[in-house]
Amino acid sequence: MAERYDVIVIGSGPGGYVCAIKAAQLGLKVAVVEKMKTYGGTCLNIGCIPSKALLHASERFEEVGHLEKLGVKVGSVSLDLPAMLAHKDATVKSNVDGVAFLFKKNKITGYTGSGRIDAPGKVTVTREDGSSETIEGSSIVIATGSDSAPLPGVHVDEQRVVSSTGALALPKVPGKLVVVGAGVIGLELGSVWRRVGADVTVVEFLDRILPGMDGEVAKQTQRLLEKQGIKFRLGTKVTAVDVTGKTSKVTIEPAKAGEAAAETLDADIVLVAIGRRPYTEGLGLEGVGVALDERKRVKVDAHYQTNVSGIYAIGDVIAGPMLAHKAEDEGVALAEILAGQAGHVNYGAIPAVVYTSPEVASVGKTEEELKAAGIEYKVGKFPFSANGRARAMLATDGFVKILSDKTTDRVLGGHIVGTGAGEMIHEIVVLMEFAGSAEDLGRTTHAHPTMSEAVKEAALAAWTKPIHL
Ligand code: FAD
Ligand code: NAI
């Protein structure tokens, strides 16, 4: 007889593994089906974690060269790329092992193999050797995530034309790296390789970088990255990559047809980072009648249930930002719902962080979104150049921007470019969770001297006046 569970989760990324742990903590009998050899999904194996390991290591490598300004003389600095990659691999291993440990601790049964939904309540797991077994569960959770979107006409071989996965494991520093897409992956991995010596050009279809982020923040970020040596070709598209020669030839054209003629860029490596698409291959969704939306994402209701009773979906495979913490929080909310509780995610207060140097962090509405919605708002801005701690740390690049409702003073959005932005953003996230005002934030005591005082000053600027500007 097939093994029976309360919940079968397909996919062990941040959505799936967190949902599984929470459901087990709430007393449900849980199985997880994962086709990779390790748990943790894109994020832990080939996404968030390895990229942050390389971002940290490469940032330290570059930083050493600038320590003289602080009176610290360092001898000659050299790169040991294999050691840097080994640090990344060790970081991944400790994280994925951590998930396996948590599964054991929470008595979650793991199945290694590809999961396919045969019918509501029935999942067949097919192992690499072709053998299979069927398991049964009252609820099935689709948490199969996403994979990188292809660029029409360009073949990703993961050697010379790579996705983020290949770009996390280049065996040597490319002389010239052409990045297609000025989104989060392009800027993060472009930064990694520039810091260790690559000449980086980012080709972006739109006339701005980081679409979706506040426009002023994106402009400032572009300026700072250009100062570091990254070149941008905005309003430009890649139409072909020729890999027949020793150096690849990347054909670019203006995004708008009818403008100047095509050009070619030389590249040792081309990184294609033009977005990610939901991954539902081999899941058997058509057979069971699970509906997808116009972008091939699994359609769910407010309780993450698909149109088929007992089949749910969370994370990158459904609508919303493709972020690990969004997937995790959906995992928790769904586990609570399955256990008969009231699970909920506040989609208005999900932070987003780009881990460049300096970092870029954002929560809530951008100015563009507020304008489009016709909401009257106040802007409070404070530059890190006016912050004492930032001066002491030579970290004066960037600013904090708080957007608040003109009438009620409620904070509607927060945007930070600056060292540590990804940590600082969370006080604005918490404030927004509690529907706080710019005055609330401006009256909250912040330790001195900290970078976070700039957040308080920006709130003061939105509510009344900053002190130090
Ligand atoms: P995934 O993590 O994609 O996990 C899905 C899992 O399902 C995979 O393990 C897959 O093997 C498995 N699977 C798929 N189909 C089947 C099947 N039929 N049977 C069994 N298993 C199956 N987000 C952030 O918030 N912060 C970051 O810093 C960040 N950095 C990133 C860097 C890179 C380079 C990339 C590519 C992504 C990054 N992301 C980041 C995005 C983040 O990785 C995703 O949002 C997150 O992993 C989504 O989680 P998920 O659980 O929905 O899916
Ligand atoms: P993205 O959506 O962030 O950026 C893709 C960029 O490519 C956009 O600027 C888009 O305009 C551009 N583009 C699209 N087609 C193009 C073309 N043909 N030619 C040139 N440019 C083109 O996608 P990205 O960077 O691939 O990341 C995928 C997802 O992974 C994102 O949704 C992000 O949320 C997640 N991620 C999150 C990270 C974080 O939170 N720090 C880090 C890395 C990824």
Side-chain angles (χ1 to χ4, degrees):
M1 237 183 52
E3 194 70 39
R4 213 182 145 76
Y5 296 92
D6 294 317
V7 186
I8 300 172
V9 181
I10 307 177
S12 71
Y17 89 72
V18 169
C19 181
I21 292 172
K22 186 71 190 176
Q25 286 173 348
L26 293 173
L28 300 176
K29 186 178 175 196
V30 183
V32 174
V33 183
E34 172 56 60
K35 64 179 184 164
M36 283 171 123
K37 289 196 173 64
T38 51
Y39 298 127
T42 304
C43 181
L44 274 63
N45 289 282
I46 48 168
C48 328
I49 296 300
S51 61
K52 267 76 251 180
L54 289 183
L55 277 156
H56 178 76
S58 61
E59 196 175 336
R60 298 288 81 76
F61 173 71
E62 181 162 75
E63 194 179 33
V64 173
H66 297 139
L67 289 179
E68 268 192 25
K69 286 187 204 149
L70 297 175
V72 181
K73 281 209 170 191
V74 189
S76 73
V77 181
S78 60
L79 177 72
D80 182 350
L81 185 60
M84 205 178 262
L85 295 174
H87 160 66
K88 174 210 64 171
D89 293 338
T91 310
V92 168
K93 184 169 183 334
S94 68
N95 279 274
V96 300
D97 286 353
V99 175
F101 164 78
L102 291 172
F103 277 8
K104 232 183 224 149
K105 182 176 164 198
N106 288 285
K107 302 192 170 45
I108 294 164
T109 308
Y111 290 85
T112 302
S114 193
R116 184 191 152 85
I117 307 172
D118 294 327
K122 261 201 181 113
V123 173
T124 294
V125 184
T126 306
R127 300 181 198 92
E128 233 177 29
D129 63 7
S131 64
S132 66
E133 83 181 280
T134 299
I135 53 177
E136 291 181 358
S138 311
S139 305
I140 296 172
V141 178
I142 301 168
T144 49
S146 62
D147 68 356
S148 40
L151 178 59
V154 176
H155 172 63
V156 171
D157 59 17
E158 296 296 7
Q159 303 292 323
R160 292 172 62 183
V161 182
V162 298
S163 69
S164 52
T165 305
L168 288 166
L170 298 179
K172 74 177 219 239
V173 178
K176 282 181 192 294
L177 172 67
V178 171
V179 177
V180 193
V184 197
I185 292 181
L187 300 189
E188 288 188 356
L189 295 180
S191 291
V192 165
W193 293 107
R194 184 207 55 76
R195 289 171 190 161
V196 294
D199 175 73
V200 177
T201 303
V202 180
V203 181
E204 164 61 46
F205 189 82
L206 300 175
D207 58 5
R208 57 163 294 171
I209 69 166
L210 293 175
M213 282 269 181
D214 187 273
E216 190 181 13
V217 162
K219 255 197 199 124
Q220 170 86 348
T221 305
Q222 185 183 335
R223 265 200 296 271
L224 294 171
L225 293 176
E226 278 170 344
K227 236 172 55 184
Q228 295 168 11
I230 294 186
K231 288 172 267 204
F232 288 95
R233 300 294 301 260
L234 302 184
T236 303
K237 62 182 174 192
V238 168
T239 53
V241 179
D242 177 358
V243 292
T244 49
K246 195 163 169 279
T247 305
S248 301
K249 303 281 176 201
V250 181
T251 309
I252 57 169
E253 281 177 25
K256 288 191 198 111
E259 287 183 5
E263 293 174 56
T264 32
L265 300 175
D266 286 346
D268 297 294
I269 298 287
V270 179
L271 163 60
V272 178
I274 58 165
R276 293 180 62 81
R277 56 182 184 177
Y279 185 81
T280 54
E281 222 176 277
L283 260 181
L285 297 189
E286 246 177 63
V288 280
V290 169
L292 305 181
D293 69 11
E294 71 295 346
R295 289 167 62 182
K296 302 250 171 358
R297 301 173 296 200
V298 177
K299 251 191 195 168
V300 291
D301 64 15
H303 292 115
Y304 306 104
Q305 187 158 226
T306 67
N307 60 315
V308 179
S309 176
I311 302 182
Y312 300 81
I314 52 170
D316 278 12
V317 81
I318 68 167
M322 287 182 164
L323 295 172
H325 42 283
K326 176 259 192 191
E328 287 186 44
D329 286 357
E330 287 177 345
V332 169
L334 176 55
E336 289 172 335
I337 291 165
L338 295 177
Q341 301 182 357
H344 172 75
V345 175
N346 177 4
Y347 289 97
I350 294 184
V353 179
V354 188
Y355 297 86
T356 44
S357 176
E359 290 176 349
V360 186
S362 159
V363 61
K365 301 285 186 213
T366 63
E367 275 205 75
E368 291 78 11
E369 285 169 339
L370 291 173
K371 275 186 196 134
I375 296 168
E376 289 203 294
Y377 63 95
K378 296 177 292 177
V379 185
K381 268 191 283 188
F382 193 83
F384 285 107
S385 56
N387 173 280
R389 182 68 182 280
R391 288 180 185 151
M393 289 164 46
L394 295 183
T396 51
D397 282 336
F399 62 94
V400 181
K401 175 166 165 177
I402 301 281
L403 304 172
S404 60
D405 187 285
K406 194 168 181 185
T407 318
T408 65
D409 193 40
R410 181 174 172 169
V411 171
L412 303 173
H415 307 276
I416 310 176
V417 184
T419 299
E423 302 294 338
M424 280 184 278
I425 195 71
H426 291 102
E427 65 168 308
I428 308 175
V429 179
V430 172
L431 183 90
M432 287 179 66
E433 272 293 340
F434 290 90
S437 65
E439 179 179 354
D440 291 330
L441 188 47
R443 285 190 184 278
T444 302
T445 304
H446 284 61
H448 177 74
T450 56
M451 297 285 282
S452 298
E453 285 173 291
V455 177
K456 172 183 174 169
E457 291 272 11
L460 283 174
W463 166 46
T464 163
K465 277 191 172 136
I467 299 291
H468 294 91
L469 198 64

